């Protein structure tokens, strides 16, 4: 860990060497004139608490949390934002004295990428969210707050989708189903929130799911289009997007929490694409 008089921030995970967060935050810092250090830190499973304590002692002010520590961070936080509480996960910690504040910026990141960067309207649209793990749980609240006509969660394990629909029912028109129940249904926006893309798998979705002018969004990103993105293109989705914009937008929201300044994101997304 680097020691310095500058405020220190980091992303922690395992593995972590692939992380683009140091590059993204270095760009944000340059752009806003903020003097800070941002590094990537490999932490062993079970060691998050020890790491955070020693990080805070060395001028550490904030952390982004990635796989597999989002639940650990949730438990470690001494206070939680409302949205982190409801999402059941934390991806941003702010360290102030002995206080550890937990927040989640993933949902806002997805929403900003969809609506601001790609001008997708959520209001009155029909949305299908594929998957019912932590990634999906984190984005339900901000999506529902935009008042879609309906939001359906489809998952391999249907009971997990049903649980999520129940937990977020007060936020809007949300329901759950299995993949087989999707036959004959169509949507304006289909978001893949499963981890299937990571292993090059495609959830078993039926044909003809996309309405005219529909948008497909994979919360994952890779150098080449994911299998879900390739499938969506073949199925006639008009707009097909990966999760790179979401990554930069969630980072921008974390930066805002820490520094009170909103960085411009377009140029950073473009830089990462190259
Ligand atoms: P994350 O935190 O990334 O969301 P997770 O909580 O383990 O990870 O959730 C992974 C999600 O991807 C789950 O919805 C999982 O489906 P199950 O709940 O049935 O396990 C889904 N998933 C993973 N691999 C999949 C595959 N090959 N096909 C369909 N769904 C898959």
């Amino acid at each position: 860990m680097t020691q310095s008089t500058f405020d220190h921030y980091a992303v922690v995970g395992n593995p972590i060497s692939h992380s683009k967060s140091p590059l993204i935050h270095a760009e944000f810092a340059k752009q806003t004139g903020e003097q800070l250090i941002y590094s990537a830190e490999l932490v062993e499973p079970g060691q998050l608490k020890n790491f955070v304590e020693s990080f805070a002692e060395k001028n550490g002010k904030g952390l982004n949390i990635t796989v597999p520590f989002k639940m650990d961070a949730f438990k470690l936080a001494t206070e939680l934002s409302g949205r982190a509480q409801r999402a059941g996960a934390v991806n941003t910690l702010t360290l102030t004295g002995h206080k550890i504040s937990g927040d989640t910026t993933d949902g806002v990141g997805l929403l900003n990428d969809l609506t601001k960067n790609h001008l997708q309207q959520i209001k009155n649209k029909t949305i299908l969210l594929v998957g019912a793990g932590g990634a999906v749980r984190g984005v339900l609240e901000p999506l529902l707050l935009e008042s879609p006509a309906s939001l359906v969660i489809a998952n391999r394990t249907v009971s997990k989708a049903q649980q999520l629909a129940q937990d977020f029912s007060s936020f809007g028109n949300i329901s759950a189903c299995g993949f087989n129940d999707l036959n004959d249904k169509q949507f304006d926006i289909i978001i893949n929130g499963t981890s299937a893309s990571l292993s090059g798998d495609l959830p078993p979705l039926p044909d003809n799911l996309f309405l005219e002018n529909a948008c497909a969004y994979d919360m994952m990103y890779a150098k080449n289009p994911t299998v879900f993105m390739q499938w969506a293109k073949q199925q006639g989705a008009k707009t097909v997007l990966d999760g790179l914009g979401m990554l930069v937008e969630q980072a921008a929201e974390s930066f805002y929490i820490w520094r009170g300044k909103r960085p411009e994101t377009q140029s950073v997304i473009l830089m990462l694409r190259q």
Side-chain angles (χ1 to χ4, degrees):
M1 210 185 299
T2 328
Q3 263 192 285
S4 153
T5 51
F6 289 162
D7 289 348
H8 191 175
Y9 297 86
V11 59
V12 299
N14 193 335
I16 201 62
S17 58
H18 66 285
S19 175
K20 295 192 189 304
S21 293
L23 189 58
I24 295 171
H25 282 275
E27 284 301 310
F28 288 168
K30 211 191 302 171
Q31 212 193 83
T32 55
E34 293 288 295
Q35 292 198 314
L36 55 88
I37 293 171
Y38 190 107
S39 58
E41 306 288 343
L42 180 72
V43 170
E44 292 307 319
Q47 292 302 307
L48 184 68
K49 186 168 187 287
N50 290 340
F51 174 83
V52 171
E53 281 167 3
S54 78
F55 187 74
E57 277 167 19
K58 294 174 191 152
N59 218 22
K61 302 293 183 195
L63 293 166
N64 281 132
I65 310 292
T66 186
V67 177
F69 296 115
K70 286 187 184 183
M71 268 314 287
D72 291 359
F74 181 82
K75 290 183 194 145
L76 193 61
T78 55
E79 58 180 49
L80 289 167
S81 67
R83 62 188 180 186
Q85 192 121 43
R86 290 184 289 275
V90 155
N91 79 338
T92 306
L93 290 176
T94 305
L95 312 174
T96 325
H98 288 292
K99 208 168 72 179
I100 305 174
S101 310
D103 202 346
T104 177
T105 64
D106 288 330
V108 177
L110 171 68
L111 195 72
N112 283 346
D113 192 38
L114 269 172
T115 60
K116 297 196 174 137
N117 298 338
H118 299 290
L119 305 178
Q120 292 290 322
Q121 189 194 309
I122 308 287
K123 195 176 166 63
N124 296 331
K125 294 290 170 70
T126 51
I127 300 181
L128 172 64
L129 257 168
V130 186
V136 166
R137 188 177 185 92
V139 303
L140 286 175
E141 178 177 333
L143 282 175
L144 286 166
L145 288 175
E146 294 290 303
S147 305
S150 62
L151 191 156
V152 175
I153 307 172
N155 195 43
R156 185 169 61 181
T157 312
V158 184
S159 58
K160 281 165 73 179
Q162 286 167 334
Q163 184 64 53
L164 282 185
Q166 194 179 320
D167 292 350
F168 287 85
S169 61
S170 63
F171 287 94
N173 181 7
I174 181 169
S175 60
C177 68
F179 296 132
N180 289 338
D181 306 311
L182 291 172
N183 286 312
D184 303 327
K185 296 215 170 71
Q186 290 194 305
F187 301 89
D188 294 302
I189 300 175
I190 301 183
I191 300 168
N192 182 23
T194 69
S195 48
S197 295
L198 277 179
S199 46
D201 292 328
L202 182 67
L205 297 166
D207 289 338
N208 300 318
L209 276 183
F210 291 99
L211 283 165
E212 215 182 325
N213 296 323
C215 169
Y217 194 103
D218 198 335
M219 282 161 66
M220 299 281 163
Y221 69 90
K223 252 200 190 110
N224 298 312
T226 65
V227 278
F228 172 79
M229 293 168 73
Q230 294 170 32
W231 169 83
K233 192 122 211 111
Q234 281 161 11
Q235 290 287 319
K238 184 178 176 197
T239 310
V240 178
L241 305 168
D242 69 9
L244 186 68
M246 175 176 174
L247 174 78
V248 175
E249 293 296 339
Q250 63 80 28
E253 183 75 8
S254 294
F255 192 90
Y256 176 72
I257 290 169
W258 293 329
R259 311 299 295 189
K261 288 186 181 171
R262 277 201 189 280
E264 182 276 319
T265 49
Q266 282 298 326
S267 59
V268 182
I269 295 171
L270 269 178
M271 180 197 76
L272 291 175
R273 285 263 176 242
Q274 288 155 12

